[in-house]
Amino acid sequence: ETGVTQSPTHLIKTRGQQVTLRCSSQSGHNTVSWYQQALGQGPQFIFQYYREEENGRGNFPPRFSGLQFPNYSSELNVNALELDDSALYLCASSRAYGTSGNNEQFFGPGTRLTVL
Amino acid sequence: GNSVTQMEGPVTLSEEAFLTINCTYTATGYPSLFWYVQYPGEGLQLLLKATKADDKGSNKGFEATYRKETTSFHLEKGSVQVSDSAVYFCALSRDDKIIFGKGTRLHILP
């Protein structure tokens, strides 16, 4: 069983640029969630996708957007990058809609984004 | 709103010492509670969970009990090992998202 994979591993961008991060969910999982983990902080929920639709969003501005594809892989897009967007971006997949505790989320290794 | 507060680190212990990492939460209703671990250079891994009051989650010698009356979910281990060195996150799930604490870095000295 292949786990959650993310690409790229590291990325450096400058302010104002746009970035796309990618996530492949674990086999059999149809829900993908994205989190931002700033240095020394816990992950913050960005949004979740279920069956290609956004299903819940955290306190992030609209310049953070996403997609989920028919194979359940996902992209996170961030426009007009700001210095504070520098963080580790984590993707997590789960077997079904919701995080009731019975649908464990499996995390990828993350993409480290640095904005200069 | 929903939130998780956990003790600040770093926590430094000698091998075979007893570990407690405190965690309290604020939430409406009855969230599920988790402890995640992040080893250096790796992603988050679920360590243990509890889905209702008085449940005890356990894994790899770690335990935590869902205490509704004190809104707590403290992590304990009777005898830590050097390989337990990592960052530990307390978390709750509510409204289809996981809310994490800030994390506690644990260093175990041989």
Side-chain angles (χ1 to χ4, degrees):
Chain A
E1 188 176 73
T2 305
V4 179
T5 60
Q6 294 186 243
S7 63
T9 306
H10 297 88
L11 202 53
I12 299 175
K13 292 283 189 179
T14 57
R15 274 187 306 173
Q17 285 189 309
Q18 180 266 344
V19 68
T20 297
L21 310 182
R22 295 177 175 83
C23 170
S24 292
S25 58
Q26 187 165 312
S27 176
H29 289 182
N30 59 11
T31 303
V32 173
S33 304
W34 285 92
Y35 295 82
Q36 180 195 66
Q37 185 179 10
L39 195 63
Q41 302 293 315
Q44 299 286 317
F45 176 76
I46 302 175
F47 43 55
Q48 183 182 84
Y49 278 83
Y50 170 66
R51 291 185 175 178
E52 303 178 54
E53 298 279 335
E54 186 179 289
N55 176 51
R57 187 180 183 93
N59 189 26
F60 281 81
R63 59 190 185 84
F64 285 78
S65 63
L67 286 172
Q68 187 180 32
F69 300 98
N71 67 354
Y72 304 125
S73 65
S74 178
E75 286 182 355
L76 164 66
N77 299 290
V78 187
N79 293 322
L81 284 167
E82 301 176 1
L83 296 179
D84 285 348
D85 295 334
S86 295
L88 180 68
Y89 287 85
L90 296 166
C91 165
S93 72
S94 54
R95 193 172 297 278
Y97 163 87
T99 56
S100 65
N102 296 319
N103 301 321
E104 179 182 344
Q105 292 194 2
F106 292 81
F107 284 82
T111 294
R112 172 75 62 188
L113 172 65
T114 302
V115 182
L116 302 177
Chain B
N2 301 313
S3 65
V4 174
T5 302
Q6 60 183 108
M7 65 188 288
E8 292 190 18
V11 173
T12 302
L13 296 172
S14 297
E15 204 166 23
E16 300 183 4
F18 183 86
L19 168 71
T20 299
I21 302 178
N22 290 335
C23 170
T24 57
Y25 67 90
T26 301
T28 55
Y30 304 97
S32 294
L33 301 176
F34 308 87
W35 278 99
Y36 282 85
V37 59
Q38 191 171 38
Y39 296 104
E42 298 185 19
L44 284 170
Q45 299 176 25
L46 179 65
L47 181 59
L48 54 84
K49 66 181 181 185
T51 58
K52 61 184 187 295
D54 299 324
D55 266 3
K56 178 184 283 188
S58 61
N59 186 27
K60 300 181 181 180
F62 291 90
E63 293 183 339
T65 301
Y66 191 145
R67 301 285 189 200
K68 182 172 176 294
E69 62 277 11
T70 55
T71 62
S72 65
F73 192 56
H74 304 321
L75 181 69
E76 295 182 337
K77 186 174 185 182
S79 177
V80 293
Q81 305 300 313
V82 171
S83 58
D84 294 327
S85 298
V87 181
Y88 292 80
F89 294 92
C90 185
L92 65 83
S93 70
R94 194 73 186 134
D95 299 329
D96 305 316
K97 63 184 179 185
I98 299 179
I99 298 168
F100 290 87
K102 291 186 176 182
T104 303
R105 184 173 297 277
L106 176 65
H107 294 290
I108 307 299
L109 303 175

